[in-house]
Amino acid sequence: MAKMWAGRTSGLTDKIADDFNSSISFDSKMYRQDILGSMAHASMLGYKNIITKEESDKLIDGLQTILTDLESGSLAIDLSAEDIHMFVEQVLTERIGETGKKLHTARSRNDQVALDFRMYLKDQITTIKGLLVQLNKALCEKAKEYAFAIMPGYTHLQRAQPITFGHHLMAYAFMFLRDIDRLTDCYKRTDVSPIGSCALAGTTFDTDRVYEAEKLGFSEVCLNSLDGVSDRDFTVEFISACSLIMMHLSRFSEEMILWSSWEFKFIELSDDYTTGSSIMPQKKNPDMAELVRGKTGRVYGDLMSILTVLKGLPLAYNKDMQEDKECAFDASETVIACITIFEKMIKTMTANTENMKNAASKGFINATDLADYLVGKGLPFRSAYKISGSIVKDCIKNNKILEELTLGEYKSYSDLIEEDVYNAIDLKTCVEKRISLGGTSFNSVLSQIEYVTKNGAK
Ligand code: ARG
């Protein structure tokens, strides 16, 4: 059958070309946005007397029946159609006759697709933000539960200084808070209506772009029609925000995987979110965390795709731009699935506080505190650091830990060391004394929880 755009050409394309050209297998996801956009357009055409009020109403009613039927399942998407825009227009014309052909007045698929895509991504952004808020809620709850659980903090994956598990969990909550903020920012630039830009140059009809934008809940309209149909910055920003979320989830996954290994045994993931091995009966594998780590690669790939598609495209619309959607949909769906499973994994995980504490008790994690103690007694930090370092060195040689040295042994390094040294190097003291803003002290972690709880849903 000849295409709706037959004119200059016969519109009779080869079947292979049709399949290659078609985007309906993925852009049918935007059927809702497409129909709502068309309803707003029909309404504007009537309001501006470009078509009659009756024609406008007829178009809107027809579009409404299509939406209802698609949602109830009584109308199926025809996968042989070129794209969702052509499909809807074709069904409309079949249903209401000649008037259906008036819908595309003062419009092009170029501004139509840009509109649908922005509306779709706005919804996705809102969904992802909501999931991140939920994830942070779960993190805050866990952090509260373990605000007093001492564990080793690491640098270079070497035991560094004692922290609490609550403090560690809250570090991720702050990353997700920034992710929420980034999505809010990206939303702002997605929330700009391109409809009315038409093919590229605007239109000779006396349209009202602001009316349409307001009807569809956009805060702004784009002010250059060429930019309106060519701009996919919002897609790049969206997938970039998704990539950062995945990067955070992936780092977290890596830690969950390490922590649930026999070597660490810091946490136990719920049976609901782990798998067994088909051959090794002792295995409890953190597959969900591993998959999240793995899927991060996909989303980074999506980001590379969109950046590369756009690079070097002349203005305005080019068919290359049809390639913008699959990567954005994939990034969005992957992020949604990953946050959803992550929240459940966090909620159901338990910490082995005994093992964490034991790990923190070895490895001279309080050596900085010993140096700080000497500074408190009047030594410059560099000299105190040297003394603490040589005590650690001798302890390692003699297979001892700092808590086991006698006061006499301590005094052989410095006369300034008194009985109070034992309290100063006690792990609980080490944590409690880190009261600096953002530090690991119990009160500080509780304020962090309060901050995230208050600012999470903004
Ligand atoms: N399916 C197309 C896309 O996603 C719609 C826009 C088509 N525009 C055109 N001038 N052929 O990009």
Side-chain angles (χ1 to χ4, degrees), residues 24 27-44 56 58-73 75-77 83-92 95 103 107 112-113 115-117 119-120 123 195 212 215-216:
I24 196 153
D27 66 19
S28 56
K29 271 189 210 306
M30 308 191 300
Y31 74 87
R32 206 162 197 285
Q33 289 74 13
D34 193 71
I35 295 172
L36 293 177
S38 288
M39 285 165 124
H41 186 65
S43 166
M44 185 279 292
S56 165
K58 204 168 173 186
L59 287 171
I60 294 170
D61 290 348
L63 286 162
Q64 182 58 57
T65 65
I66 299 175
L67 183 58
T68 310
D69 293 352
L70 280 173
E71 267 168 4
S72 72
L75 173 66
I77 302 269
D83 55 31
I84 188 63
H85 326 294
M86 288 305 205
F87 169 75
V88 171
E89 197 182 324
Q90 193 175 322
V91 177
L92 182 68
R95 289 192 175 185
L103 175 64
R107 185 174 78 163
Q112 191 180 352
V113 72
L115 175 81
D116 295 1
F117 196 28
M119 285 169 69
Y120 188 88
D123 287 349
I195 195 69
E212 278 186 83
K215 240 185 168 7
L216 293 169

Short mmCIF file of all heavy atoms in Angstrom, two decimals, residues 24 27-44 56 58-73 75-77 83-92 95 103 107 112-113 115-117 119-120 123 195 212 215-216:
data_model
loop_
_atom_site.label_atom_id
_atom_site.label_comp_id
_atom_site.label_asym_id
_atom_site.label_seq_id
_atom_site.Cartn_x
_atom_site.Cartn_y
_atom_site.Cartn_z
N ILE A 24 8.12 1.47 14.80
CA ILE A 24 6.96 1.23 15.66
C ILE A 24 7.22 0.17 16.72
O ILE A 24 6.62 0.21 17.80
CB ILE A 24 5.68 0.92 14.83
CG1 ILE A 24 4.46 1.06 15.74
CG2 ILE A 24 5.76 -0.47 14.19
CD1 ILE A 24 3.20 1.42 15.05
N ASP A 27 8.83 2.69 19.25
CA ASP A 27 8.22 3.98 19.62
C ASP A 27 6.73 3.85 19.96
O ASP A 27 6.11 4.82 20.40
CB ASP A 27 8.51 5.09 18.59
CG ASP A 27 7.88 4.86 17.22
OD1 ASP A 27 6.94 4.07 17.12
OD2 ASP A 27 8.36 5.51 16.26
N SER A 28 6.18 2.62 19.82
CA SER A 28 4.78 2.44 20.24
C SER A 28 4.64 2.62 21.75
O SER A 28 3.54 2.85 22.25
CB SER A 28 4.28 1.05 19.83
OG SER A 28 5.13 0.07 20.36
N LYS A 29 5.76 2.56 22.46
CA LYS A 29 5.74 2.86 23.91
C LYS A 29 5.18 4.25 24.17
O LYS A 29 4.69 4.53 25.25
CB LYS A 29 7.19 2.90 24.42
CG LYS A 29 7.75 1.60 24.89
CD LYS A 29 9.11 1.88 25.57
CE LYS A 29 10.04 0.71 25.42
NZ LYS A 29 9.45 -0.54 25.89
N MET A 30 5.29 5.13 23.15
CA MET A 30 4.89 6.53 23.37
C MET A 30 3.49 6.80 22.86
O MET A 30 3.13 7.94 22.56
CB MET A 30 5.88 7.47 22.66
CG MET A 30 7.34 7.21 22.98
SD MET A 30 8.45 8.52 22.39
CE MET A 30 8.14 8.47 20.63
N TYR A 31 2.65 5.74 22.75
CA TYR A 31 1.32 5.95 22.14
C TYR A 31 0.49 6.96 22.94
O TYR A 31 -0.21 7.80 22.38
CB TYR A 31 0.57 4.60 22.01
CG TYR A 31 0.05 4.03 23.30
CD1 TYR A 31 -1.20 4.40 23.79
CD2 TYR A 31 0.81 3.15 24.06
CE1 TYR A 31 -1.68 3.90 24.99
CE2 TYR A 31 0.34 2.64 25.26
CZ TYR A 31 -0.90 3.03 25.72
OH TYR A 31 -1.36 2.54 26.91
N ARG A 32 0.64 6.88 24.25
CA ARG A 32 -0.14 7.77 25.11
C ARG A 32 0.24 9.24 24.86
O ARG A 32 -0.62 10.10 24.66
CB ARG A 32 0.19 7.39 26.57
CG ARG A 32 -0.87 7.70 27.51
CD ARG A 32 -0.82 7.02 28.84
NE ARG A 32 -2.15 7.21 29.37
CZ ARG A 32 -2.57 8.36 29.86
NH1 ARG A 32 -1.73 9.37 29.95
NH2 ARG A 32 -3.82 8.49 30.26
N GLN A 33 1.55 9.47 24.90
CA GLN A 33 2.06 10.82 24.69
C GLN A 33 1.67 11.31 23.29
O GLN A 33 1.31 12.48 23.11
CB GLN A 33 3.59 10.84 24.83
CG GLN A 33 4.12 10.64 26.25
CD GLN A 33 4.03 9.21 26.75
OE1 GLN A 33 3.78 8.27 26.01
NE2 GLN A 33 4.20 9.05 28.06
N ASP A 34 1.73 10.41 22.32
CA ASP A 34 1.42 10.81 20.95
C ASP A 34 -0.04 11.25 20.84
O ASP A 34 -0.34 12.28 20.23
CB ASP A 34 1.70 9.64 19.99
CG ASP A 34 1.70 10.11 18.55
OD1 ASP A 34 2.65 10.81 18.16
OD2 ASP A 34 0.71 9.84 17.83
N ILE A 35 -0.92 10.47 21.46
CA ILE A 35 -2.35 10.80 21.37
C ILE A 35 -2.66 12.08 22.15
O ILE A 35 -3.37 12.96 21.66
CB ILE A 35 -3.21 9.60 21.84
CG1 ILE A 35 -3.00 8.44 20.86
CG2 ILE A 35 -4.67 9.98 21.96
CD1 ILE A 35 -3.62 7.13 21.29
N LEU A 36 -2.10 12.20 23.35
CA LEU A 36 -2.35 13.42 24.14
C LEU A 36 -1.82 14.65 23.41
O LEU A 36 -2.46 15.71 23.40
CB LEU A 36 -1.71 13.30 25.53
CG LEU A 36 -2.32 12.24 26.45
CD1 LEU A 36 -1.56 12.17 27.78
CD2 LEU A 36 -3.81 12.51 26.72
N GLY A 37 -0.66 14.50 22.79
CA GLY A 37 -0.07 15.61 22.01
C GLY A 37 -0.99 15.99 20.86
O GLY A 37 -1.22 17.18 20.59
N SER A 38 -1.53 14.98 20.19
CA SER A 38 -2.42 15.25 19.05
C SER A 38 -3.72 15.90 19.51
O SER A 38 -4.29 16.76 18.82
CB SER A 38 -2.73 13.95 18.31
OG SER A 38 -1.58 13.53 17.61
N MET A 39 -4.19 15.50 20.69
CA MET A 39 -5.43 16.12 21.21
C MET A 39 -5.20 17.61 21.47
O MET A 39 -6.04 18.45 21.14
CB MET A 39 -5.87 15.41 22.50
CG MET A 39 -6.49 14.05 22.24
SD MET A 39 -6.59 13.11 23.78
CE MET A 39 -8.30 12.77 23.82
N ALA A 40 -4.06 17.92 22.06
CA ALA A 40 -3.74 19.33 22.35
C ALA A 40 -3.61 20.10 21.03
O ALA A 40 -4.06 21.25 20.92
CB ALA A 40 -2.45 19.43 23.15
N HIS A 41 -3.03 19.44 20.03
CA HIS A 41 -2.85 20.10 18.74
C HIS A 41 -4.21 20.36 18.08
O HIS A 41 -4.46 21.47 17.60
CB HIS A 41 -1.96 19.23 17.84
CG HIS A 41 -1.60 19.89 16.56
ND1 HIS A 41 -0.82 21.04 16.51
CD2 HIS A 41 -1.94 19.60 15.26
CE1 HIS A 41 -0.68 21.40 15.24
NE2 HIS A 41 -1.35 20.55 14.47
N ALA A 42 -5.08 19.35 18.12
CA ALA A 42 -6.41 19.50 17.54
C ALA A 42 -7.18 20.61 18.25
O ALA A 42 -7.88 21.42 17.62
CB ALA A 42 -7.17 18.18 17.65
N SER A 43 -7.01 20.67 19.56
CA SER A 43 -7.69 21.69 20.34
C SER A 43 -7.20 23.09 19.92
O SER A 43 -8.00 24.02 19.72
CB SER A 43 -7.43 21.43 21.82
OG SER A 43 -7.80 22.53 22.58
N MET A 44 -5.88 23.22 19.74
CA MET A 44 -5.31 24.51 19.35
C MET A 44 -5.80 24.92 17.94
O MET A 44 -6.16 26.07 17.71
CB MET A 44 -3.78 24.42 19.39
CG MET A 44 -3.03 25.71 19.13
SD MET A 44 -2.86 26.13 17.39
CE MET A 44 -1.75 24.86 16.82
N SER A 56 -12.48 20.09 15.22
CA SER A 56 -11.58 19.93 16.36
C SER A 56 -12.15 18.90 17.34
O SER A 56 -11.46 17.98 17.79
CB SER A 56 -11.37 21.29 17.04
OG SER A 56 -10.80 21.13 18.30
N LYS A 58 -14.31 16.58 16.77
CA LYS A 58 -14.35 15.27 16.13
C LYS A 58 -12.97 14.59 16.22
O LYS A 58 -12.87 13.39 16.51
CB LYS A 58 -14.76 15.45 14.65
CG LYS A 58 -15.39 14.22 14.06
CD LYS A 58 -16.02 14.55 12.72
CE LYS A 58 -16.50 13.26 12.06
NZ LYS A 58 -17.00 13.44 10.73
N LEU A 59 -11.96 15.38 15.97
CA LEU A 59 -10.58 14.85 16.07
C LEU A 59 -10.29 14.39 17.50
O LEU A 59 -9.79 13.28 17.73
CB LEU A 59 -9.56 15.92 15.67
CG LEU A 59 -9.45 16.27 14.18
CD1 LEU A 59 -8.56 17.50 13.97
CD2 LEU A 59 -8.89 15.08 13.39
N ILE A 60 -10.65 15.24 18.46
CA ILE A 60 -10.36 14.91 19.87
C ILE A 60 -11.12 13.66 20.30
O ILE A 60 -10.55 12.76 20.93
CB ILE A 60 -10.67 16.12 20.79
CG1 ILE A 60 -9.70 17.27 20.46
CG2 ILE A 60 -10.56 15.75 22.27
CD1 ILE A 60 -10.03 18.59 21.10
N ASP A 61 -12.40 13.59 19.94
CA ASP A 61 -13.20 12.40 20.31
C ASP A 61 -12.61 11.14 19.68
O ASP A 61 -12.49 10.10 20.32
CB ASP A 61 -14.66 12.55 19.85
CG ASP A 61 -15.38 13.62 20.66
OD1 ASP A 61 -14.81 14.05 21.70
OD2 ASP A 61 -16.49 14.04 20.24
N GLY A 62 -12.24 11.26 18.41
CA GLY A 62 -11.66 10.11 17.71
C GLY A 62 -10.37 9.66 18.38
O GLY A 62 -10.15 8.46 18.59
N LEU A 63 -9.55 10.63 18.72
CA LEU A 63 -8.27 10.29 19.39
C LEU A 63 -8.53 9.63 20.73
O LEU A 63 -7.84 8.68 21.12
CB LEU A 63 -7.43 11.57 19.56
CG LEU A 63 -6.79 12.11 18.27
CD1 LEU A 63 -6.36 13.57 18.44
CD2 LEU A 63 -5.60 11.25 17.85
N GLN A 64 -9.55 10.14 21.43
CA GLN A 64 -9.88 9.57 22.74
C GLN A 64 -10.29 8.09 22.60
O GLN A 64 -9.90 7.26 23.42
CB GLN A 64 -11.01 10.39 23.41
CG GLN A 64 -11.40 9.90 24.79
CD GLN A 64 -10.23 9.90 25.79
OE1 GLN A 64 -9.60 10.93 26.02
NE2 GLN A 64 -9.90 8.73 26.35
N THR A 65 -11.06 7.78 21.55
CA THR A 65 -11.47 6.36 21.39
C THR A 65 -10.24 5.49 21.11
O THR A 65 -10.17 4.36 21.58
CB THR A 65 -12.49 6.18 20.23
OG1 THR A 65 -11.84 6.50 18.99
CG2 THR A 65 -13.75 7.00 20.41
N ILE A 66 -9.29 6.03 20.38
CA ILE A 66 -8.07 5.25 20.09
C ILE A 66 -7.32 4.98 21.39
O ILE A 66 -6.88 3.86 21.66
CB ILE A 66 -7.17 5.97 19.05
CG1 ILE A 66 -7.93 6.14 17.73
CG2 ILE A 66 -5.87 5.20 18.83
CD1 ILE A 66 -7.19 6.94 16.67
N LEU A 67 -7.20 6.03 22.20
CA LEU A 67 -6.49 5.87 23.49
C LEU A 67 -7.18 4.83 24.36
O LEU A 67 -6.55 3.92 24.91
CB LEU A 67 -6.42 7.23 24.21
CG LEU A 67 -5.66 7.26 25.53
CD1 LEU A 67 -4.21 6.81 25.35
CD2 LEU A 67 -5.66 8.68 26.14
N THR A 68 -8.50 4.97 24.47
CA THR A 68 -9.26 4.03 25.30
C THR A 68 -9.08 2.60 24.79
O THR A 68 -8.84 1.68 25.57
CB THR A 68 -10.77 4.40 25.26
OG1 THR A 68 -10.88 5.79 25.56
CG2 THR A 68 -11.58 3.61 26.27
N ASP A 69 -9.18 2.43 23.48
CA ASP A 69 -9.10 1.08 22.91
C ASP A 69 -7.70 0.49 23.03
O ASP A 69 -7.56 -0.72 23.24
CB ASP A 69 -9.56 1.08 21.44
CG ASP A 69 -11.05 1.40 21.34
OD1 ASP A 69 -11.72 1.45 22.41
OD2 ASP A 69 -11.54 1.60 20.21
N LEU A 70 -6.69 1.33 22.90
CA LEU A 70 -5.32 0.81 23.06
C LEU A 70 -5.12 0.39 24.51
O LEU A 70 -4.52 -0.65 24.80
CB LEU A 70 -4.28 1.88 22.68
CG LEU A 70 -4.02 2.07 21.19
CD1 LEU A 70 -3.10 3.27 20.95
CD2 LEU A 70 -3.40 0.82 20.57
N GLU A 71 -5.65 1.20 25.43
CA GLU A 71 -5.46 0.89 26.84
C GLU A 71 -6.23 -0.33 27.28
O GLU A 71 -5.76 -1.10 28.12
CB GLU A 71 -5.73 2.12 27.71
CG GLU A 71 -4.43 2.79 27.89
CD GLU A 71 -4.32 4.16 28.47
OE1 GLU A 71 -5.34 4.76 28.89
OE2 GLU A 71 -3.19 4.63 28.49
N SER A 72 -7.40 -0.54 26.70
CA SER A 72 -8.19 -1.72 27.10
C SER A 72 -7.72 -2.96 26.35
O SER A 72 -8.10 -4.07 26.67
CB SER A 72 -9.67 -1.48 26.81
OG SER A 72 -9.86 -1.52 25.40
N GLY A 73 -6.91 -2.76 25.32
CA GLY A 73 -6.41 -3.90 24.56
C GLY A 73 -7.31 -4.26 23.38
O GLY A 73 -7.02 -5.20 22.64
N LEU A 75 -7.77 -2.50 20.77
CA LEU A 75 -7.08 -2.10 19.54
C LEU A 75 -5.61 -2.50 19.68
O LEU A 75 -4.98 -2.14 20.68
CB LEU A 75 -7.20 -0.58 19.32
CG LEU A 75 -6.39 0.02 18.17
CD1 LEU A 75 -6.88 -0.48 16.80
CD2 LEU A 75 -6.44 1.55 18.21
N ALA A 76 -5.12 -3.25 18.71
CA ALA A 76 -3.71 -3.67 18.78
C ALA A 76 -2.87 -2.77 17.89
O ALA A 76 -3.35 -2.25 16.88
CB ALA A 76 -3.59 -5.11 18.34
N ILE A 77 -1.63 -2.56 18.30
CA ILE A 77 -0.69 -1.78 17.49
C ILE A 77 -0.37 -2.59 16.24
O ILE A 77 -0.07 -3.79 16.33
CB ILE A 77 0.61 -1.51 18.29
CG1 ILE A 77 0.32 -0.77 19.59
CG2 ILE A 77 1.67 -0.84 17.42
CD1 ILE A 77 0.37 0.72 19.56
N ASP A 83 5.56 4.16 12.00
CA ASP A 83 5.86 4.55 13.38
C ASP A 83 4.55 4.84 14.10
O ASP A 83 3.46 4.78 13.50
CB ASP A 83 6.84 5.73 13.46
CG ASP A 83 6.38 6.96 12.67
OD1 ASP A 83 5.15 7.17 12.56
OD2 ASP A 83 7.25 7.70 12.17
N ILE A 84 4.64 5.17 15.38
CA ILE A 84 3.43 5.35 16.18
C ILE A 84 2.60 6.55 15.68
O ILE A 84 1.37 6.52 15.72
CB ILE A 84 3.78 5.49 17.70
CG1 ILE A 84 2.51 5.49 18.56
CG2 ILE A 84 4.62 6.74 17.98
CD1 ILE A 84 1.71 4.24 18.51
N HIS A 85 3.29 7.54 15.14
CA HIS A 85 2.58 8.75 14.68
C HIS A 85 1.70 8.42 13.47
O HIS A 85 0.54 8.82 13.39
CB HIS A 85 3.58 9.85 14.32
CG HIS A 85 4.80 9.85 15.19
ND1 HIS A 85 4.74 10.14 16.53
CD2 HIS A 85 6.10 9.54 14.92
CE1 HIS A 85 5.96 10.01 17.04
NE2 HIS A 85 6.80 9.65 16.09
N MET A 86 2.27 7.67 12.53
CA MET A 86 1.53 7.27 11.33
C MET A 86 0.39 6.32 11.69
O MET A 86 -0.71 6.41 11.14
CB MET A 86 2.47 6.55 10.35
CG MET A 86 3.44 7.50 9.69
SD MET A 86 2.54 8.84 8.88
CE MET A 86 3.68 9.33 7.64
N PHE A 87 0.67 5.43 12.65
CA PHE A 87 -0.36 4.46 13.05
C PHE A 87 -1.58 5.18 13.61
O PHE A 87 -2.72 4.93 13.21
CB PHE A 87 0.24 3.49 14.09
CG PHE A 87 -0.80 2.62 14.75
CD1 PHE A 87 -1.37 1.55 14.07
CD2 PHE A 87 -1.22 2.88 16.06
CE1 PHE A 87 -2.34 0.75 14.68
CE2 PHE A 87 -2.19 2.09 16.67
CZ PHE A 87 -2.75 1.03 15.98
N VAL A 88 -1.35 6.10 14.53
CA VAL A 88 -2.48 6.79 15.18
C VAL A 88 -3.27 7.59 14.14
O VAL A 88 -4.51 7.54 14.10
CB VAL A 88 -1.99 7.70 16.35
CG1 VAL A 88 -3.12 8.57 16.87
CG2 VAL A 88 -1.40 6.86 17.47
N GLU A 89 -2.55 8.29 13.29
CA GLU A 89 -3.24 9.12 12.28
C GLU A 89 -4.05 8.25 11.32
O GLU A 89 -5.17 8.62 10.93
CB GLU A 89 -2.20 9.93 11.52
CG GLU A 89 -2.82 11.10 10.77
CD GLU A 89 -1.79 11.90 9.97
OE1 GLU A 89 -0.65 12.06 10.43
OE2 GLU A 89 -2.15 12.34 8.86
N GLN A 90 -3.49 7.11 10.98
CA GLN A 90 -4.19 6.21 10.05
C GLN A 90 -5.47 5.65 10.68
O GLN A 90 -6.54 5.67 10.07
CB GLN A 90 -3.25 5.07 9.69
CG GLN A 90 -3.71 4.25 8.52
CD GLN A 90 -2.65 3.20 8.15
OE1 GLN A 90 -1.46 3.47 8.22
NE2 GLN A 90 -3.10 2.02 7.82
N VAL A 91 -5.36 5.20 11.94
CA VAL A 91 -6.55 4.67 12.62
C VAL A 91 -7.60 5.77 12.77
O VAL A 91 -8.80 5.56 12.55
CB VAL A 91 -6.19 4.06 14.00
CG1 VAL A 91 -7.44 3.59 14.73
CG2 VAL A 91 -5.19 2.93 13.86
N LEU A 92 -7.13 6.97 13.07
CA LEU A 92 -8.05 8.10 13.25
C LEU A 92 -8.83 8.34 11.96
O LEU A 92 -10.06 8.51 12.00
CB LEU A 92 -7.25 9.35 13.64
CG LEU A 92 -8.07 10.60 13.92
CD1 LEU A 92 -8.91 10.44 15.19
CD2 LEU A 92 -7.17 11.83 14.06
N ARG A 95 -11.38 5.82 11.34
CA ARG A 95 -12.54 5.92 12.25
C ARG A 95 -13.42 7.12 11.98
O ARG A 95 -14.64 7.03 12.07
CB ARG A 95 -12.06 5.95 13.71
CG ARG A 95 -11.52 4.62 14.16
CD ARG A 95 -11.31 4.57 15.66
NE ARG A 95 -10.89 3.22 16.05
CZ ARG A 95 -10.74 2.84 17.29
NH1 ARG A 95 -10.95 3.67 18.28
NH2 ARG A 95 -10.37 1.59 17.54
N LEU A 103 -5.71 16.66 10.96
CA LEU A 103 -4.94 16.72 12.21
C LEU A 103 -3.51 17.21 11.99
O LEU A 103 -2.95 17.93 12.81
CB LEU A 103 -4.90 15.32 12.86
CG LEU A 103 -4.04 15.18 14.11
CD1 LEU A 103 -4.58 16.04 15.25
CD2 LEU A 103 -3.97 13.72 14.58
N ARG A 107 1.79 21.04 11.52
CA ARG A 107 2.57 20.13 12.34
C ARG A 107 3.41 19.25 11.42
O ARG A 107 3.09 19.10 10.24
CB ARG A 107 1.62 19.27 13.18
CG ARG A 107 2.31 18.36 14.16
CD ARG A 107 1.33 17.65 15.05
NE ARG A 107 0.68 16.51 14.39
CZ ARG A 107 0.05 15.54 15.04
NH1 ARG A 107 -0.08 15.59 16.36
NH2 ARG A 107 -0.50 14.53 14.40
N GLN A 112 6.51 16.56 16.25
CA GLN A 112 5.65 15.60 16.96
C GLN A 112 6.49 14.59 17.74
O GLN A 112 6.24 14.33 18.92
CB GLN A 112 4.78 14.88 15.92
CG GLN A 112 3.66 14.06 16.50
CD GLN A 112 2.84 13.36 15.41
OE1 GLN A 112 3.03 13.62 14.20
NE2 GLN A 112 1.94 12.51 15.81
N VAL A 113 7.51 14.03 17.09
CA VAL A 113 8.32 13.01 17.76
C VAL A 113 9.12 13.64 18.90
O VAL A 113 9.27 13.05 19.97
CB VAL A 113 9.21 12.23 16.77
CG1 VAL A 113 10.37 13.07 16.24
CG2 VAL A 113 9.76 10.97 17.42
N LEU A 115 8.20 16.12 20.67
CA LEU A 115 7.24 16.35 21.75
C LEU A 115 6.97 15.06 22.52
O LEU A 115 7.06 15.02 23.76
CB LEU A 115 5.92 16.88 21.17
CG LEU A 115 4.80 17.04 22.19
CD1 LEU A 115 4.97 18.35 22.96
CD2 LEU A 115 3.42 17.00 21.53
N ASP A 116 6.63 14.00 21.78
CA ASP A 116 6.29 12.73 22.43
C ASP A 116 7.44 12.24 23.30
O ASP A 116 7.24 11.77 24.43
CB ASP A 116 6.02 11.64 21.38
CG ASP A 116 4.79 11.94 20.52
OD1 ASP A 116 4.17 12.99 20.73
OD2 ASP A 116 4.47 11.12 19.63
N PHE A 117 8.63 12.35 22.75
CA PHE A 117 9.82 11.84 23.43
C PHE A 117 10.08 12.62 24.72
O PHE A 117 10.37 12.06 25.78
CB PHE A 117 11.00 11.96 22.47
CG PHE A 117 12.20 11.14 22.85
CD1 PHE A 117 12.08 9.97 23.60
CD2 PHE A 117 13.48 11.53 22.43
CE1 PHE A 117 13.21 9.22 23.94
CE2 PHE A 117 14.60 10.78 22.76
CZ PHE A 117 14.47 9.63 23.51
N MET A 119 7.82 14.23 26.47
CA MET A 119 6.76 13.88 27.44
C MET A 119 7.05 12.53 28.08
O MET A 119 6.90 12.35 29.29
CB MET A 119 5.39 13.83 26.73
CG MET A 119 4.84 15.21 26.40
SD MET A 119 3.41 15.16 25.30
CE MET A 119 2.15 14.44 26.34
N TYR A 120 7.50 11.59 27.26
CA TYR A 120 7.79 10.25 27.76
C TYR A 120 8.93 10.30 28.79
O TYR A 120 8.82 9.73 29.88
CB TYR A 120 8.16 9.32 26.59
CG TYR A 120 8.29 7.87 27.01
CD1 TYR A 120 7.18 7.03 27.02
CD2 TYR A 120 9.52 7.36 27.42
CE1 TYR A 120 7.30 5.70 27.42
CE2 TYR A 120 9.64 6.04 27.82
CZ TYR A 120 8.53 5.22 27.82
OH TYR A 120 8.65 3.91 28.22
N ASP A 123 8.07 11.66 32.24
CA ASP A 123 7.44 10.65 33.11
C ASP A 123 8.48 9.69 33.69
O ASP A 123 8.42 9.31 34.86
CB ASP A 123 6.40 9.82 32.33
CG ASP A 123 5.15 10.63 32.05
OD1 ASP A 123 5.00 11.72 32.62
OD2 ASP A 123 4.31 10.16 31.23
N ILE A 195 6.58 21.56 20.19
CA ILE A 195 5.46 21.44 19.25
C ILE A 195 5.15 22.81 18.64
O ILE A 195 5.14 23.82 19.34
CB ILE A 195 4.21 20.76 19.86
CG1 ILE A 195 3.22 20.31 18.79
CG2 ILE A 195 3.54 21.63 20.89
CD1 ILE A 195 3.69 19.17 17.94
N GLU A 212 -0.68 25.21 23.37
CA GLU A 212 -0.44 23.76 23.29
C GLU A 212 0.46 23.29 24.42
O GLU A 212 0.21 22.26 25.05
CB GLU A 212 0.22 23.40 21.95
CG GLU A 212 -0.76 23.27 20.82
CD GLU A 212 -0.10 22.76 19.55
OE1 GLU A 212 0.07 21.54 19.42
OE2 GLU A 212 0.24 23.60 18.69
N LYS A 215 -1.34 23.23 27.72
CA LYS A 215 -2.30 22.14 27.76
C LYS A 215 -1.61 20.81 28.11
O LYS A 215 -2.18 19.92 28.73
CB LYS A 215 -2.98 22.00 26.39
CG LYS A 215 -4.48 22.18 26.51
CD LYS A 215 -5.21 21.95 25.23
CE LYS A 215 -6.69 21.84 25.37
NZ LYS A 215 -7.38 22.09 26.56
N LEU A 216 -0.36 20.68 27.67
CA LEU A 216 0.38 19.43 27.89
C LEU A 216 1.27 19.48 29.13
O LEU A 216 2.06 18.57 29.37
CB LEU A 216 1.21 19.11 26.64
CG LEU A 216 0.38 18.78 25.40
CD1 LEU A 216 1.25 18.74 24.16
CD2 LEU A 216 -0.34 17.44 25.59
#
